[in-house]
Amino acid sequence: MKHSILTAAVLGAALASTSGASAREALENVIHVYDDVVFFDGYNKLENLNDDAKAMIPDDDGVLRHLTSLYAVKLSDEQLAQVGEHLDMRVMIGAMCDNYDRIGNINLAFVPKGSATYTPSEVKRIELGRFITPFMDKNKNPKEVPYAYEVDNVSGILRDARLREKFDIWVEFQLFGIPYAANEQIKGCAGCQDVFAGTLWFETDAPAPLTDKNVLVPIVIKKPEDQGKNLCNYDESATDVLGKTQKKYTFEVPEDVTDSEIVLITSNHGANAGGEEYNRRIHVVKFQGEVLLNYTPGRDSCEPFRKYNTQLNGIYGYSARSDAEWQSFSNWCPGDVIDNRIINLGPLAKGTYTVEIKVPKAVFPEKQGDIPVSMYFQGVTEGKLPQPSGVADVKVDFRSSICVEGDVCRVTSEETPLSIAVYNADGELIDRRVRAAEISLAACPKGVNIVVVEYADGLNENYKVLR
């Protein structure tokens, strides 16, 4: 069957070029969480910041600063009471003294009721959305970049009576920046330790009642770059088999659910020569040993985000790139969101489950880079989970169609594909044919295999075939 990627952050990609107007009907109920909070040198400690940096930190703004790169705000009862069934999350990043592309994310932390503070590693947390900052010169316009996410499923979490009885819900804002290059390159940044300013709010509709039907299980949350490796093939804590990029995660579903999904966020990093940032790879996701999703990250084009990249850099260069050029190397765009991939599971019984991620062709030259992974399971004990209107199939219109007859897979298309390749369920290449309209499946193992049709302009179309 045809495979397409469900992403909940497509809305973010669309809205990044707007002034914040929603792609669906306007949600006028606003919940403010962060207002121009300043992040500082991620390799420094708060107590060691210089006097100029410390002067930028308000005495009492309700922000718990765990690190220079990780802040938290507890949602009040009044804020939680505002939450409706529809929920958009908006992030605005302001340019300061980091002129490079950095990774940022928004999390929820579930903290024992009444705690004034907490240790992040000791509480359950889930990642709601991830983004990449542009290369920004704070002296040039635009000086801010917007990101938006449609997160209707999170409404059920925030309105869950059982969770709120046990926990306070904190919203974490994480952004690891470094000022060292800007100290030398950007006017007004000499000696400065501030890196970005961040604003975060939610937009929702009319307040909705509490629910007791939500089942939430955090599975894994990404490590920041200074706190160990995420998924890779060279660190025994980041892979199940050294030399292979694969990791299995086990979790418990505490009660039967009538509908469920896994929310997955991944992004490839490693900016050294030949690093994973510049190579698109097939990612394979298995649930209970069965392939449920395969995807190749990357936008059709990064040109919509060029205007936010006001500092000259090696990614955007001096002139526009074609779609094919972008698709030849970019896993993500500086100034864009990273997609939230939704893996629909349907009804599930109480029990133990495993989910596995493999990136078989990943290469980490000089043992640099990794793939930060965040996942959480969400289900409901009655009814269905919401499907936000902003969720869309990335590949809605396929350029080709396939037909399997015996051991031969044939492609029908108006143009001859650049190549046809077939992979097994683990993403390992079985065969590839160049400038061909068919490929043999005789060498494929029994079960699910993946056929990838590639065109000269860089478009890849993925199909699952059953042997």
Side-chain angles (χ1 to χ4, degrees):
M1 63 180 178
K2 293 182 178 180
H3 163 68
S4 53
I5 301 167
L6 279 174
T7 83
V10 168
L11 177 66
L15 290 189
S17 59
T18 75
S19 59
S22 177
R24 57 180 175 172
E25 292 184 8
L27 300 177
E28 297 180 352
N29 189 8
V30 179
I31 303 170
H32 296 280
V33 185
Y34 291 89
D35 185 15
D36 272 336
V37 292
V38 178
F39 293 87
F40 301 94
D41 176 7
Y43 286 120
N44 215 329
K45 294 183 178 180
L46 285 161
E47 59 268 26
N48 294 336
L49 294 176
N50 61 34
D51 290 342
D52 289 341
K54 289 179 179 178
M56 297 182 183
I57 303 175
D59 292 332
D60 185 13
D61 59 356
V63 177
L64 173 60
R65 290 170 169 82
H66 292 293
L67 302 165
T68 54
S69 58
L70 176 61
Y71 300 162
V73 168
K74 182 172 70 174
L75 292 177
S76 67
D77 290 341
E78 291 76 16
Q79 289 175 314
L80 289 168
Q82 289 181 257
V83 176
E85 292 185 353
H86 297 299
L87 195 66
D88 287 353
M89 182 173 72
R90 306 302 182 86
V91 176
M92 187 76 73
I93 297 299
M96 298 190 84
C97 287
D98 187 342
N99 57 336
Y100 270 71
D101 51 338
R102 308 296 184 190
I103 183 172
N105 51 283
I106 308 301
N107 311 321
L108 287 185
F110 301 91
V111 179
K113 201 76 175 176
S115 301
T117 186
Y118 67 95
T119 301
S121 61
E122 296 178 359
V123 302
K124 297 293 188 182
R125 302 155 72 219
I126 62 173
E127 182 176 353
L128 300 188
R130 188 179 303 176
F131 58 89
I132 307 294
T133 66
F135 294 81
M136 292 191 289
D137 181 336
K138 71 171 189 174
N139 302 300
K140 298 179 181 178
N141 292 319
K143 298 179 180 180
E144 294 181 317
V145 56
Y147 306 88
Y149 309 79
E150 192 170 316
V151 288
D152 286 2
N153 67 300
V154 177
S155 166
I157 297 171
L158 296 178
R159 294 186 293 111
D160 187 271
R162 293 181 294 179
L163 279 174
R164 285 169 54 174
E165 184 178 353
K166 295 175 60 178
F167 303 106
D168 288 324
I169 301 176
W170 294 64
V171 179
E172 295 182 343
F173 201 139
Q174 191 164 20
L175 181 52
F176 192 97
I178 304 169
Y180 312 140
N183 291 157
E184 303 293 331
Q185 299 170 359
I186 302 298
K187 182 180 178 181
C189 283
C192 292
Q193 295 178 309
D194 52 290
V195 289
F196 298 103
T199 297
L200 166 65
W201 70 98
F202 294 98
E203 294 178 4
T204 188
D205 52 356
L210 295 179
T211 176
D212 60 1
K213 299 176 176 59
N214 195 73
V215 177
L216 175 67
V217 183
I219 300 174
V220 62
I221 191 165
K222 79 173 187 69
K223 299 176 183 177
E225 60 188 83
D226 64 328
Q227 295 180 24
K229 293 299 179 183
N230 294 276
L231 180 64
C232 67
N233 62 11
Y234 60 89
D235 186 310
E236 62 182 9
S237 68
T239 179
D240 291 336
V241 181
L242 283 173
K244 295 185 177 182
T245 307
Q246 59 186 62
K247 187 78 172 175
K248 185 179 291 184
Y249 305 89
T250 301
F251 63 97
E252 296 283 337
V253 176
E255 53 190 315
D256 295 350
V257 293
T258 57
D259 193 27
S260 61
E261 64 190 23
I262 288 175
V263 180
L264 168 68
I265 307 176
T266 67
S267 52
N268 297 32
H269 299 272
N272 54 314
E276 280 302 286
E277 289 184 15
Y278 310 124
N279 292 280
R280 296 190 179 192
R281 315 285 192 188
I282 287 181
H283 293 51
V284 179
V285 182
K286 288 184 173 183
F287 181 73
Q288 296 295 89
E290 180 181 344
V291 175
L292 289 192
L293 176 68
N294 68 84
Y295 63 94
T296 303
R299 294 275 181 248
D300 288 345
S301 173
C302 291
E303 286 303 320
F305 310 99
R306 177 179 291 275
K307 65 181 180 181
Y308 299 114
N309 287 263
T310 55
Q311 163 73 28
L312 287 177
N313 60 84
I315 303 298
Y316 280 88
Y318 290 95
S319 59
R321 297 180 188 267
S322 68
D323 288 359
E325 287 176 306
W326 282 118
Q327 292 163 19
S328 70
F329 78 95
S330 68
N331 272 287
W332 38 257
C333 307
D336 189 14
V337 298
I338 300 295
D339 289 332
N340 294 352
R341 290 184 162 84
I342 310 300
I343 305 172
N344 299 109
L345 302 177
L348 280 183
K350 172 183 176 180
T352 302
Y353 293 91
T354 60
V355 59
E356 184 178 25
I357 301 178
K358 294 186 175 184
V359 190
K361 297 301 180 181
V363 177
F364 297 92
E366 303 170 346
K367 294 186 176 182
Q368 294 188 40
D370 63 354
I371 303 173
V373 176
S374 289
M375 276 191 292
Y376 64 89
F377 170 91
Q378 185 176 9
V380 286
T381 56
E382 293 180 22
K384 292 280 189 179
L385 284 166
Q387 290 297 315
S389 59
V391 171
D393 286 334
V394 172
K395 295 183 183 304
V396 177
D397 298 316
F398 279 73
R399 192 178 298 178
S400 58
S401 62
I402 67 168
C403 177
V404 178
E405 297 178 352
D407 287 336
V408 177
C409 176
R410 293 186 175 87
V411 176
T412 300
S413 176
E414 292 184 359
E415 61 181 287
T416 301
L418 178 64
S419 71
I420 305 171
V422 60
Y423 298 80
N424 65 19
D426 290 329
E428 296 168 339
L429 180 67
I430 303 298
D431 193 15
R432 174 182 277 118
R433 292 287 183 265
V434 177
R435 296 292 180 186
E438 64 181 46
I439 192 168
S440 173
L441 305 177
C444 294
K446 298 296 184 182
V448 174
N449 293 273
I450 304 162
V451 172
V452 179
V453 182
E454 180 183 9
Y455 290 93
D457 61 2
L459 175 68
N460 289 329
E461 294 182 342
N462 297 356
Y463 300 83
K464 290 181 182 178
V465 295
L466 187 63
R467 286 269 295 155

